Amino acid sequence: MQSAMAPRLRLLALVLLSFFVSFAWSLPRFLHGRPRGGMLGAPARQSDGPLPPDQWLEQKLDHFNDADLRTWKQRYFVNATFFKTGGPVFLMIGGEGTANPIWMVEGTWVVMAKRLGALCLMLEHRFYGKSHPTPDISVDSLRFLSSEQALADLAYFRQSMAMKMNLTYSKWISFGGSYPGSLSAWFRLKYPHLVDGAVATSGPLLAQVDFTGYVSVVRDSLATSPQGGACNTNIMEATQQVESLLQHRVGWEDLTKLFKICKPLNASNTNDVSNFFESIAGNFFGVVQYNKDNRAFEGAVGTNITIDTLCGIMCNTSIGQPLDRYAAVNSLLLETYGENCLDISYDDMISEMRETSWESSASEGGRQWVYQTCTEFGFFQTSDGKDQPFGHHFPVSFSLQQCSDIYGKQFNKTTLDQGIAHTNTNYGAKGIRATKVIFPNGSIDPWHYLGITKDISPTERAVYIQGTAHCANMYPELPSDPPQLRQARDTIFKAVEEWVQ
């Protein structure tokens, strides 16, 4: 069959990674809970040798329309190093970013594979990384991007690999972290005859438009610092000082200098003001979400900045008033990520997010992920919660406006409400009823608010890890890991071991 990806675009896909490394970013580094590159970071290489090469599967474009015969090439990886004949198959599910082959040789699941003689496979999610089902990422193309299509991709991939590699009688276990954690649970729910168990790490299972719980968990997590509640108190005071300066033009100039804003702040532009408040709050959101998450050894930027770092700054009276400390946090994050200034221009952000070429910076995953939030998940981390220190300047209406401004007026609250109702009805939300699924979540991670933190049944079990953040259990062990994280990994292994017997 003729692939939907033209040869020229296949060539472009090969150079996209180097393109993004050199691209001058202007999109927010943390957009709808997703940092650049995707939710799940990559573990470091602990051993020498080549990584598994790209492999490609001819995949259907639309699994739910038998009259549509178009196909495309989906990327996957294989590591058969540990596989013993008759052993299980471990399937790592790709998510809202480029699938990194480093995961094929590192991480907790690889340790399990060594112990259980498993074959390791990873399938990249459609529309992310090099897996381009369509010539562009226009709205017309993105209609083929959904969790349901992704699950059907997994089902077809599973069947194809079982035939190709003679795995008919092997037990299959799915793994995923963050959105792929949700997919892992949903894969077991929807295709129980194809997968024998699922590890669903940090997966948000409840689709929700106004995700006020995210900011509430950020607040509670900041209070776990040595400074306790004083951290949130100082953030609140800083927020109030920002609001005061926004009342007059001299204040606009002061804020422009203090927060190193790229263009002079014009407080009469309410969208820029909302973007500004969301950006400076986002400095805290990102650090909390990935607090002490075991990625420091991989060279990932910013992993040395923790909740304790930020709260130490916010409570350091030698820096000045709370506003000065709030600005100091912003300066630290700008410097850490190599950014010269804070870009809060709403129009520039929307313009960039409207780009539909695979060569655009938005195609790294930002445009695709926001599309999914605007159509089936919501997950909008808003300031609508009452008891939180970040002000109330990025309400749910601001997120909904972005949906309409980026993709068109047909993407609005009415259509999103319908999409979310479908998602929760289709998968069961927190009332999911599947067997042989384990749900690890960290108490520091704001996403646990939409996940499973208590056992549903003897075969749907929660592993709630106090003091850990997003997907912490998936990364390789470190000597500094707290005992509860080590215990969680052991609990997960025992469940998987039981499933494959």
Side-chain angles (χ1 to χ4, degrees):
M1 294 182 184
Q2 180 63 39
S3 170
M5 181 188 293
R8 182 179 67 85
L9 289 173
R10 291 196 192 99
L11 179 61
L12 283 173
L14 296 176
V15 301
L16 276 178
L17 184 60
S18 60
F19 173 85
F20 288 130
V21 170
S22 61
F23 197 93
W25 286 90
S26 62
L27 288 174
R29 80 174 78 92
F30 197 71
L31 187 62
H32 289 220
R34 176 193 182 274
R36 294 173 190 168
M39 300 281 198
L40 187 64
R45 208 53 210 282
Q46 302 292 300
S47 58
D48 296 328
L51 293 173
D54 294 355
Q55 298 193 50
W56 301 91
L57 173 77
E58 188 166 7
Q59 184 69 264
K60 284 197 67 176
L61 177 63
D62 187 352
H63 292 281
F64 306 107
N65 181 1
D66 291 337
D68 190 338
L69 301 181
R70 289 175 293 175
T71 63
W72 58 286
K73 299 295 185 180
Q74 188 168 22
R75 186 167 66 148
Y76 70 94
F77 301 95
V78 179
N79 181 359
T81 304
F82 320 113
F83 185 53
K84 297 178 181 178
T85 302
V89 180
F90 286 1
L91 173 57
M92 177 68 79
I93 300 173
E96 65 311 302
T98 300
N100 194 325
I102 291 177
W103 275 108
M104 301 305 296
V105 296
E106 303 293 349
T108 302
W109 81 307
V110 174
V111 175
M112 293 187 200
K114 290 178 181 178
R115 295 175 67 179
L116 297 174
L119 172 70
C120 292
L121 304 174
M122 178 165 63
L123 182 67
E124 188 169 64
H125 197 297
R126 59 169 55 204
F127 284 95
Y128 294 98
K130 295 181 180 180
S131 294
H132 300 173
T134 54
D136 58 28
I137 48 174
S138 63
V139 171
D140 187 57
S141 293
L142 290 176
R143 63 194 172 96
F144 298 108
L145 171 59
S146 70
S147 58
E148 290 179 280
Q149 293 282 5
L151 291 172
D153 286 342
L154 288 166
Y156 184 79
F157 174 73
R158 187 264 189 233
Q159 294 291 71
S160 298
M161 297 304 292
M163 293 182 61
K164 179 180 179 180
M165 303 185 73
N166 193 24
L167 302 168
T168 304
Y169 300 105
S170 293
K171 295 288 184 70
W172 287 67
I173 308 297
S174 61
F175 294 81
S178 197
Y179 162 52
S182 305
L183 291 175
S184 183
W186 296 336
F187 190 37
R188 171 64 182 162
L189 174 73
K190 291 295 184 179
Y191 298 91
H193 57 296
L194 300 183
V195 60
D196 298 278
V199 180
T201 297
S202 298
L205 297 179
L206 172 64
Q208 188 177 77
V209 177
D210 199 352
F211 183 14
T212 59
Y214 187 98
V215 183
S216 298
V217 177
V218 169
R219 174 203 63 208
D220 295 343
S221 297
L222 291 172
T224 66
S225 70
Q227 292 76 22
C231 186
N232 284 304
T233 299
N234 279 281
I235 293 171
M236 183 176 295
E237 291 181 11
T239 300
Q240 292 168 349
Q241 291 175 324
V242 171
E243 291 170 339
S244 178
L245 288 173
L246 287 172
Q247 301 306 310
H248 51 86
R249 289 184 178 273
V250 174
W252 304 357
E253 296 173 3
D254 291 342
L255 289 171
T256 299
K257 294 176 183 177
L258 266 174
F259 288 90
K260 301 180 180 179
I261 299 173
C262 296
K263 299 176 183 177
L265 173 62
N266 179 0
S268 62
N269 186 323
T270 57
N271 286 332
D272 283 359
V273 170
S274 292
N275 234 14
F276 173 51
F277 274 100
E278 189 170 42
S279 295
I280 56 180
N283 289 331
F284 291 82
F285 295 177
V287 170
V288 169
Q289 183 166 310
Y290 295 100
N291 186 62
K292 301 178 182 178
D293 72 348
N294 284 22
R295 292 182 303 149
F297 58 86
E298 65 161 328
V301 174
T303 57
N304 60 318
I305 301 176
T306 66
I307 288 172
D308 294 352
T309 306
L310 300 192
C311 287
I313 293 172
M314 289 307 304
C315 296
N316 186 348
T317 56
S318 68
I319 294 177
Q321 296 296 314
L323 176 64
D324 301 307
R325 302 169 211 164
Y326 209 27
V329 166
N330 184 67
S331 294
L332 173 63
L333 270 295
L334 288 176
E335 180 181 355
T336 299
Y337 287 93
E339 298 169 359
N340 295 323
C341 58
L342 181 66
D343 191 349
I344 63 167
S345 170
Y346 180 81
D347 289 344
D348 288 351
M349 180 185 76
I350 296 302
S351 177
E352 195 163 341
M353 287 290 287
R354 285 175 175 170
E355 292 293 330
T356 62
S357 167
W358 284 113
E359 300 175 66
S360 67
S361 60
S363 74
E364 182 273 337
R367 177 173 168 84
Q368 300 96 302
W369 175 243
V370 173
Y371 176 84
Q372 288 193 263
T373 65
C374 290
T375 55
E376 56 179 332
F377 299 135
F379 296 159
F380 299 143
Q381 298 102 42
T382 74
S383 60
D384 291 330
K386 294 181 179 179
D387 186 18
Q388 51 86 10
F390 298 101
H392 301 282
H393 300 275
F394 45 102
V396 69
S397 58
F398 180 59
S399 295
L400 290 166
Q401 180 183 345
Q402 292 175 45
C403 294
S404 296
D405 288 346
I406 295 170
Y407 307 106
K409 294 190 180 300
Q410 69 271 31
F411 293 86
N412 51 48
K413 188 176 187 303
T414 299
T415 56
L416 179 55
D417 283 342
Q418 293 171 351
I420 284 177
H422 175 76
T423 298
N424 288 332
T425 301
N426 191 31
Y427 302 130
K430 288 189 179 184
I432 184 173
R433 290 295 180 266
T435 59
K436 298 182 181 178
V437 183
I438 196 162
F439 301 94
N441 276 284
S443 67
I444 296 293
D445 178 18
W447 288 101
H448 85 252
Y449 193 90
L450 299 181
I452 305 297
T453 58
K454 294 182 180 179
D455 290 354
I456 298 175
S457 72
T459 62
E460 286 182 296
R461 298 170 54 198
V463 180
Y464 190 52
I465 316 167
Q466 289 292 338
T468 64
H470 202 58
C471 300
N473 58 281
M474 295 183 67
Y475 296 101
E477 289 188 4
L478 290 179
S480 58
D481 285 344
Q484 62 270 26
L485 178 55
R486 295 178 180 275
Q487 179 60 52
R489 290 195 181 105
D490 187 56
T491 299
I492 296 164
F493 173 77
K494 288 178 179 177
V496 173
E497 184 180 37
E498 179 182 332
W499 296 336
V500 302
Q501 287 178 349

